[in-house]
Amino acid sequence: MSITVHQFPCLSDNYGYLVRDDATGQTASIDTPDAKAILGELEKLGWKLTLILNTHWHADHAGGNEEIKAATGCQIVGPAEVERLSPVDRKVSGGDTVDLGQTRFQVIESGGHTLQHVAFHSAADHAAFVGDTLFALGCGRMFEGTAPQMWDSLQRLAALPDDTRVYCAHEYTASNARFALSVDQDPVLKTRTDEIFDKRSRDEWTVPTTIGAEKATNPFLRAPMLRPDLAPHEAFAAIRTAKDNFKG
Ligand code: ZN
Ligand code: FE
């Protein structure tokens, strides 16, 4: 049992992900940022789409659902909030499982950026698709949820094994790195940000990251260490507010 993940940049800073279950050839698109780009990649690879897995309702994640379903006949699985944009075939929330051939994804509740945001985790493949909840050195803005909700969501992701590859939906890493350096002087962070600026100067991807790397250097996960004077979710809220106001 294994998956092949095909990653490609689309829109201005999104990543598209096509995930193929190697045993059966069944293929899922994680979110649908750009229908034309996704259909083009499927064509190029010769993969047949069976499933869309939506993390949340924003247009750069679910905006391509209808066009892709019309073109492929795939099923759409996601949180109920996606129906603000278009119909969903199966609504899921934390604790559910979704099968793609022989690959099983656990649905992890990860609300905060939007209220019903979910992540999809394949334990066997050490892979998590986290939408706009956790980024390399960052986390999503809280458009709908509260700091305690977002903190709990991040803790559920941080509890996954350290070697879990984290497929974030955006390449925001360089700007996240500039902010991280403004709140954290840790030498391990400095080493990582040097590598990130280097990679981005060559236009290389910094995603996927890993749970281990994020636990070691992500200022949002490290909030209780950075603000030991505050309760953990308050420390997180303080760092999130600082990032919202950061002009770097
Ligand atoms: Zn979003
Ligand atoms: Fe997004």
Side-chain angles (χ1 to χ4, degrees):
M1 277 194 305
S2 59
I3 54 171
T4 301
V5 179
H6 176 68
Q7 176 173 352
F8 53 98
C10 56
L11 302 180
S12 59
D13 50 32
N14 281 75
Y15 285 118
Y17 297 110
L18 291 171
V19 181
R20 187 173 189 268
D21 174 61
D22 295 329
T24 63
Q26 288 192 33
T27 299
S29 182
I30 309 297
D31 286 329
T32 57
D34 182 335
K36 298 257 179 315
I38 292 164
L39 292 171
E41 295 294 319
L42 285 165
E43 173 89 41
K44 205 169 74 186
L45 295 161
W47 291 0
K48 191 180 153 9
L49 195 75
T50 43
L51 197 62
I52 290 168
L53 296 176
N54 286 131
T55 60
H56 65 295
W57 71 272
H58 287 160
D60 64 317
H61 297 263
N65 280 13
E66 282 183 301
E67 188 177 340
I68 292 172
K69 186 179 170 79
T72 63
C74 69
Q75 291 288 107
I76 300 176
V77 173
E81 65 176 25
V82 170
E83 295 208 319
R84 289 196 219 175
L85 289 194
S86 58
V88 168
D89 296 307
R90 182 185 160 205
K91 292 167 193 131
V92 290
S93 55
D96 290 339
T97 59
V98 182
D99 290 336
L100 175 73
Q102 295 182 10
T103 300
R104 172 155 291 185
F105 291 101
Q106 307 287 336
V107 180
I108 300 176
E109 199 259 281
S110 53
H113 174 72
T114 63
L115 284 180
Q116 297 177 352
H117 194 298
V118 294
F120 297 95
H121 173 231
S122 169
D125 295 292
H126 308 260
F129 297 89
V130 300
D132 287 355
T133 299
L134 179 62
F135 294 121
L137 291 179
C139 76
R141 278 178 192 265
M142 292 177 289
F143 285 118
E144 298 178 5
T146 61
Q149 182 186 14
M150 189 69 167
W151 175 249
D152 289 349
S153 295
L154 291 170
Q155 291 311 108
R156 277 188 286 276
L157 297 176
L160 299 176
D162 280 358
D163 68 351
T164 307
R165 291 186 309 284
V166 179
Y167 294 91
C168 323
H170 292 272
E171 178 63 60
Y172 288 157
T173 317
S175 80
N176 288 340
R178 286 190 287 277
F179 170 72
L181 289 169
S182 77
V183 293
D184 191 351
Q185 275 69 56
D186 188 82
V188 179
L189 172 67
K190 179 72 171 72
T191 304
R192 184 173 178 203
T193 55
D194 286 348
E195 286 167 12
I196 285 165
F197 295 136
D198 225 51
K199 278 192 165 177
R200 294 307 297 151
S201 73
R202 296 192 300 267
D203 222 24
E204 289 173 23
W205 305 342
T206 64
V207 175
T209 176
T210 65
I211 290 295
E214 295 314 310
K215 274 161 58 184
T217 51
N218 185 308
F220 297 97
L221 298 182
R222 281 170 49 74
M225 270 84 81
L226 299 175
R227 292 297 305 269
D229 54 315
L230 299 173
H233 74 269
E234 289 166 349
F236 166 73
I239 303 286
R240 185 61 255 179
T241 301
K243 172 72 162 72
D244 291 343
N245 298 323
F246 181 68
K247 313 242 186 296

